[in-house]
Amino acid sequence: MQTEFLISTYGPGLYEFTKDVRNWLNSVERDGLLTLFVRHTSCSLVIQENADPEVRTDLSAFFDRLVPPSDHPSMAYLRHTYEGPDDMPAHIKAALLPVSLSIPVAFGKPVLGTWQGIFLFEHRTAAHQRRVTAHFA
């Protein structure tokens, strides 16, 4: 079983799509493994807390501090800068974070902790339509 989720982003941050995944798996009444794969090189997938939005804000702030825009003096060594100051840092963040996730499924429900959600982590400043391929076996 396979599908694709289209996630609209409007700048950097974490975009939860746990409900979309749960809805897609609703018709499944068996155990298996869900694999999610984002088809882009400037965003990531993460499982993170979905209760307190400050977790998402703090996580975004941490990665922005870890990898600032290419026009920041500490990033003067970067050469891939012609797509804007957020582009190469977005590629670096995507290299540090996962682009695929494996989630166990029991009786058609993703096995997640109480406060866990599935997020696309957008690293670019412009709006994008991100594609996440889901495969359940």
Side-chain angles (χ1 to χ4, degrees):
M1 205 165 98
Q2 194 164 313
T3 195
E4 184 174 79
F5 298 104
L6 187 61
I7 301 166
S8 299
T9 67
Y10 48 89
L14 286 94
Y15 297 82
E16 186 172 10
F17 65 107
T18 311
K19 287 181 184 175
D20 297 327
V21 171
R22 287 185 195 279
N23 289 341
W24 179 63
L25 289 171
N26 266 344
S27 64
V28 177
E29 295 179 358
R30 62 184 174 91
D31 298 347
L33 184 66
L34 172 66
T35 302
L36 299 171
F37 175 75
V38 65
R39 298 174 49 199
H40 305 277
T41 60
S42 56
C43 61
S44 308
L45 295 174
V46 295
I47 293 176
Q48 199 44 254
E49 179 178 327
N50 64 0
D52 185 350
E54 288 178 347
V55 171
R56 290 172 275 199
T57 303
D58 289 348
L59 196 57
S60 291
F62 170 78
F63 276 96
D64 288 343
R65 188 173 179 183
L66 183 66
V67 187
S70 64
D71 55 3
H72 188 276
S74 68
M75 303 299 275
Y77 64 92
L78 295 177
R79 297 293 168 246
H80 179 74
T81 59
Y82 52 87
E83 290 183 50
D86 68 319
D87 185 49
M88 190 59 215
H91 292 300
I92 294 169
K93 292 171 188 175
L96 294 172
L97 293 164
V99 294
S100 67
L101 300 172
S102 295
I103 302 168
V105 174
F107 301 106
K109 298 188 184 336
V111 181
L112 295 169
T114 302
W115 307 114
Q116 288 182 320
I118 305 166
F119 294 87
L120 180 126
F121 197 164
E122 177 63 70
H123 305 306
R124 297 294 308 265
T125 57
H128 285 86
Q129 294 288 317
R130 301 302 196 171
R131 297 180 182 281
V132 177
T133 298
H135 179 83
F136 177 73

